[in-house]
Amino acid sequence: MISNSTLFYTKFIPKCNGDCIDVNNCILKHSVVEYNYDIPSNGFTLYDSNAVNTTVASTYSIWQTSNVFLTIKKSIINDFKFVSLSYMGRILSSQSNITFEDSSISNLSTGVNLYSYSLFTYARLQFNFAIRRCKFTLGNLVFNNDYASNEISIIDSVLTKVSLGEPETSYIPYEHPILYMRNVSFLDGNLTFYTRKVDIAYSNITVTTPFAIGRDSNISCSSIGRSSSIKQASSVGIIASSLTITNSTIKNFNTGMQVAAEGLNKITITKNNFIGNSLYNVKNQGIYDINAAGNYWGTNNVGVILNKIYDYWDDINYGDVLYKKYSTKALPAEAGCPRYIKA
């Protein structure tokens, strides 16, 4: 254990089975935590400390399966970067776990791949990633999205101007990794997960780019809105191919939802409020009909409701949006959900 110290330009290389290095009540400046693939299990814990300009470097490739644990608790983190030293560009193994708890984080990012002969210019986070009870401002994290993918868990936290996403790919994993969010304020950020299952509840989200959602996703008891930092013209709220969204509000976009169901009954939109979307509330660009019964469409005028739905009646190549049994007044939506209870 290292405690009650100030450390400059320090390199930590955990090399043991279990928790190797514990840093408690310290100030760290310009530090490196390097994980090597030849160690079967290793860990690093930072507790009640202040860290500035920290780099986590990984030599892992796709074939390494070591368990790595990096835990940061009750700390103040500024300028924290993950970088890869492997030719595959992956950062740590999919069995690894990185956790931030009860901390203040500023500028957390995925750096470039530093390996000289890499196949990939970008690095990707391959480990399981958790943020609990944190305030996270400014960040850009790119996650892996192939068969060695990871789980992202964000709970009871506030994230501002943060980008979370995956690289563009035509590969869709058979087992979908998950983005799990509960009681999160995600403000003025970017969420792009075309292949990842999303499970979101009790959250307030404002986005600067379309919120892209992967297979078998669920959103409930949440608000999805446009960031005030972007213009409403041409903005899109949610892009989805397999989603159930209930008891939520989609508001202030040009197009609230742009959907193309990948199969029958793959898109369900019920008990939601669509408010302030200027062009369309729902735009169906797939061949399947969409179940969109029981929503409030921002008006009780059926003509206005129809004008803000794009479907078969605008282009016969697309399916219908089944909007009837609609509410004539705003629904309780997220405000009517049972009270959220913190774990």
Side-chain angles (χ1 to χ4, degrees):
M1 174 182 283
I2 303 172
S3 61
N4 305 313
S5 301
T6 300
L7 307 173
F8 295 90
Y9 297 96
T10 307
K11 178 181 279 190
F12 302 96
I13 306 177
K15 288 189 174 182
C16 67
N17 190 355
D19 291 333
C20 300
I21 301 174
D22 291 315
V23 179
N24 184 24
N25 194 29
C26 290
I27 296 174
L28 277 65
K29 296 185 178 181
H30 307 285
S31 301
V32 175
V33 182
E34 183 173 312
Y35 288 100
N36 296 311
Y37 65 84
D38 56 342
I39 308 300
S41 181
N42 43 42
F44 179 92
T45 300
L46 184 68
Y47 185 84
D48 197 20
S49 296
N50 191 324
V52 178
N53 199 353
T54 304
T55 300
V56 173
S58 163
T59 63
Y60 284 71
S61 73
I62 191 172
W63 297 281
Q64 271 79 54
T65 58
S66 301
N67 296 317
V68 167
F69 300 93
L70 187 150
T71 304
I72 295 174
K73 295 183 177 181
K74 296 185 178 181
S75 295
I76 299 173
I77 307 298
N78 291 283
D79 299 325
F80 193 104
K81 183 180 293 184
F82 296 98
V83 300
S84 174
L85 303 175
S86 76
Y87 78 97
M88 293 296 291
R90 289 172 171 83
I91 300 176
L92 302 180
S93 70
S94 57
Q95 288 79 15
S96 300
N97 293 275
I98 308 299
T99 302
F100 292 82
E101 292 184 344
D102 304 298
S103 296
S104 176
I105 309 161
S106 178
N107 197 20
L108 177 65
S109 65
T110 309
V112 298
N113 190 357
L114 300 181
Y115 188 78
S116 300
Y117 304 102
S118 176
L119 297 174
F120 302 92
T121 57
Y122 55 82
R124 294 153 294 158
L125 306 179
Q126 187 170 283
F127 48 77
N128 297 310
F129 181 79
I131 294 177
R132 304 186 186 108
R133 302 174 301 279
C134 289
K135 183 179 180 181
F136 177 8
T137 304
L138 297 177
N140 182 19
L141 299 177
V142 180
F143 293 89
N144 201 43
N145 60 348
D146 62 15
Y147 54 86
S149 294
N150 49 349
E151 178 177 312
I152 306 166
S153 174
I154 306 173
I155 301 172
D156 300 335
S157 297
V158 178
L159 286 72
T160 305
K161 296 182 179 179
V162 173
S163 175
L164 305 178
E166 300 167 333
E168 292 185 13
T169 180
S170 59
Y171 176 81
I172 299 177
Y174 179 74
E175 293 186 3
H176 314 304
I178 189 169
L179 167 65
Y180 180 89
M181 295 176 67
R182 289 293 185 275
N183 192 35
V184 172
S185 289
F186 188 92
L187 308 174
D188 301 332
N190 173 31
L191 292 164
T192 309
F193 292 105
Y194 285 105
T195 65
R196 185 177 294 266
K197 177 179 179 178
V198 167
D199 185 354
I200 294 175
Y202 296 98
S203 295
N204 176 34
I205 297 171
T206 60
V207 292
T208 57
T209 59
F211 181 8
I213 294 173
R215 288 182 174 177
D216 303 323
S217 292
N218 294 278
I219 297 176
S220 64
C221 303
S222 296
S223 172
I224 313 294
R226 173 181 55 88
S227 167
S228 61
S229 66
I230 64 167
K231 294 181 179 179
Q232 186 167 19
S234 302
S235 64
V236 177
I238 295 173
I239 296 178
S241 60
S242 179
L243 169 67
T244 296
I245 180 167
T246 61
N247 300 104
S248 296
T249 297
I250 301 94
K251 60 184 180 180
N252 299 332
F253 296 99
N254 187 249
T255 298
M257 295 185 64
Q258 182 175 300
V259 298
E262 63 180 22
L264 192 62
N265 299 322
K266 284 293 185 178
I267 299 283
T268 300
I269 306 167
T270 61
K271 299 180 183 178
N272 304 291
N273 289 324
F274 288 87
I275 297 174
N277 301 306
S278 55
L279 183 60
Y280 298 117
N281 285 315
V282 176
K283 185 175 185 180
N284 186 7
Q285 292 189 301
I287 63 173
Y288 295 100
D289 292 346
I290 302 300
N291 175 13
N295 298 292
Y296 174 65
W297 298 100
T299 179
N300 59 7
N301 186 316
V302 68
V304 176
I305 292 173
L306 289 171
N307 284 337
K308 287 196 173 185
I309 292 175
Y310 186 93
D311 61 0
Y312 171 86
W313 302 101
D314 301 279
D315 187 329
I316 62 172
N317 293 303
Y318 299 137
D320 200 356
V321 174
L322 307 175
Y323 70 94
K324 293 187 177 179
K325 298 182 181 180
Y326 58 87
S327 175
T328 58
K329 60 182 180 179
L331 297 166
E334 64 273 21
C337 289
R339 185 171 63 90
Y340 173 77
I341 300 175
K342 293 185 177 181

